[in-house]
Amino acid sequence: MTLYLRTLAVASALLVAGCTVGPDYHGAPDVAGDAMRTGTYPHAGSGVEAHTPGVARWWTALDDAQLTALIDDAIAHSPDIRAAQAKVRQSRASLRSHEADLLPKGTVDVTMLRTRSPDLSLLGGNGGSGSSGRGPLDLYIAGFDASWEVDLFGGTRRAVEAASADADAASEDLADAHVQLAAEVAQTYVALRDQQARLALVRDSAQLEGEMLDLTRQRRAGGVASELDVERLVTQVEQTQSRVLPLEADVIESLDQLALLTGRAPGALDAEFKAPKALPTVPAKVAIGDPTALLQARPDIRAAERRLASQNAQIGVQTANWFPKLSIMGELGYSALDPGHLVRKENFSWMALPRLQWNVLDFGRVQAGVDGAKAGRDQAQAKYESAVLTALRDADVALTRYGHQRENVYRLRSVEASATRAATLTRQRYRAGTASTLDWLDAERTRFSAEQDRIAGDAQLLKSFVTLQKALGLGWQVG
């Protein structure tokens, strides 16, 4: 027993004094330092503010209750989110498993052995001489076995460090899944409202053109209009009505996509969202922060940094294989022929077995493992740098498109107002007989095209807003 205690004491001293091999992690490398120091995006346009955003639920700024409810519903029920959540739980369980490797392992064993020896007197033909067989023999054994691999050089601690970073990366992946999902729901919702608005416009135009066709036929009967005027209007009505079916199909596709994103079967949202509704309105100002805030806000960048930390720790895991491994095994137990005598002092036994193991003929396997871990670290660092540069690119492009689209929408609304006034005046002149059918058709086509462009411009501005928020990584905050 004294030897066992001494062994434990020596192992504990070695563990305390033991080093942790491999490079320590000192944070991610500096990427795009000039952009970080300037603190601004090079192409930030109008309608944005440079202060740091304080709200993660950016979609509430659109002031659309149905959109907000849709995104909340998708986050609560999307299978993709549940899969990311399960991955987080899995990575945390792996971390706990690695942490448990730092502690001793022990088992309790209770055994009852029943045996009978053979009758040797029947062997050899010696007339019955020799030992005779014994009856059944019962043996009761109760013991406790323990083993502990002392982490002398920190290989297990590096494994815990890597598993912890992997668990953090999985949490950031979950946050990024929220960002992607919120953006996709918003984009699909905007597309639905855009399609519904254009469908309503086509139907209104078709109704107006039908009324003008009736009027022209009446005028043709009275000899005021020509057959050519009637045919031109018939062609225009048919062309307008031909746009209805494709738009109806687009509406159904968007409704089914929203159902899928919220974890529902196709058609589940038709009754709630099939009625047309006006497009949401973007806020007057959008907070964008600065490039430094971008690194903190985008979960994909944080996930890439955590994976870099994990790969850095893996170098220590592999380096520890260069050095000896010390393990301690021990056993405490009782054995007796009678269960009532099992725990008597004279039936007690113990064993201590320190073991030092050093693989001296590995033929380059350890070095190959270290080299592979270093290559994994370099790969993770390159991916981190790529994630940062891609994020800066995404943010700058999104800012450029958002600013330009705001200006474009102003022009489109001015064009629509002018085309609407011209179409109204031409329609009045046509009814009065001072404008031809061709004049009226040209004015209606211009008005229809201008209104369609304005609706598409409003929808594109909303999509640019969503893309900007996605690029800034503001869709979710981890508590």
Side-chain angles (χ1 to χ4, degrees), residues 82-129:
R82 294 203 306 274
Q85 290 171 338
K87 187 177 179 181
V88 171
R89 296 197 303 272
Q90 184 182 41
S91 63
R92 288 175 179 171
S94 177
L95 172 59
R96 293 195 300 272
S97 176
H98 282 87
E99 289 173 338
D101 290 339
L102 291 168
L103 304 175
K105 303 177 180 67
T107 58
V108 174
D109 186 19
V110 179
T111 306
M112 184 266 189
L113 175 65
R114 186 177 180 85
T115 184
R116 183 184 185 278
S117 60
D119 185 357
L120 300 180
S121 64
L122 300 178
L123 300 177
N126 54 6
S129 62

Side-chain angles (χ1 to χ4, degrees), residues 238-409:
E238 292 294 335
Q239 287 179 343
T240 302
Q241 289 178 341
S242 68
R243 296 187 176 97
V244 171
L245 291 179
L247 285 172
E248 288 179 342
D250 290 341
V251 168
I252 292 174
E253 181 179 356
S254 294
L255 287 169
D256 287 348
Q257 180 65 14
L258 287 175
L260 174 64
L261 293 172
T262 56
R264 292 178 170 84
L269 298 179
D270 289 4
E272 184 177 359
F273 291 94
K274 201 164 188 178
K277 184 179 178 181
L279 285 163
T281 304
V282 297
K285 292 291 183 180
V286 179
I288 62 171
D290 54 45
T292 301
L294 177 71
L295 300 188
Q296 300 171 354
R298 279 189 58 143
D300 58 333
I301 295 179
R302 299 199 301 266
E305 186 274 332
R306 290 288 79 205
R307 290 192 170 92
L308 172 58
S310 174
Q311 290 298 322
N312 187 80
Q314 289 293 341
I315 299 176
V317 174
Q318 297 298 324
T319 303
N321 293 328
W322 281 114
F323 301 96
K325 299 182 185 300
L326 174 62
S327 59
I328 302 171
M329 292 178 284
E331 180 181 353
L332 303 174
Y334 291 88
S335 59
L337 298 176
D338 188 334
H341 300 161
L342 186 63
V343 294
R344 288 183 177 181
K345 181 178 180 181
E346 60 270 17
N347 294 329
F348 173 71
S349 63
W350 64 270
M351 180 185 68
L353 179 62
R355 181 186 182 191
L356 187 66
Q357 184 181 14
W358 197 352
N359 187 9
V360 294
L361 294 176
D362 76 314
F363 300 103
R365 294 184 183 89
V366 173
Q367 185 60 53
V370 174
D371 292 343
K374 289 181 178 179
R377 186 269 317 275
D378 294 343
Q379 183 183 29
Q381 180 171 324
K383 288 183 177 180
Y384 171 79
E385 294 172 1
S386 176
V388 172
L389 295 174
T390 300
L392 290 171
R393 188 279 314 271
D394 290 347
D396 194 52
V397 170
L399 284 166
T400 301
R401 291 188 181 279
Y402 181 72
H404 290 173
Q405 188 59 28
R406 285 179 67 99
E407 297 176 4
N408 187 44
V409 165

Side-chain angles (χ1 to χ4, degrees), residues 137-156:
L137 175 67
D138 295 337
L139 180 63
Y140 300 89
I141 303 172
F144 173 74
D145 299 330
S147 63
W148 181 26
E149 183 174 319
V150 184
D151 190 26
L152 290 177
F153 298 97
T156 304

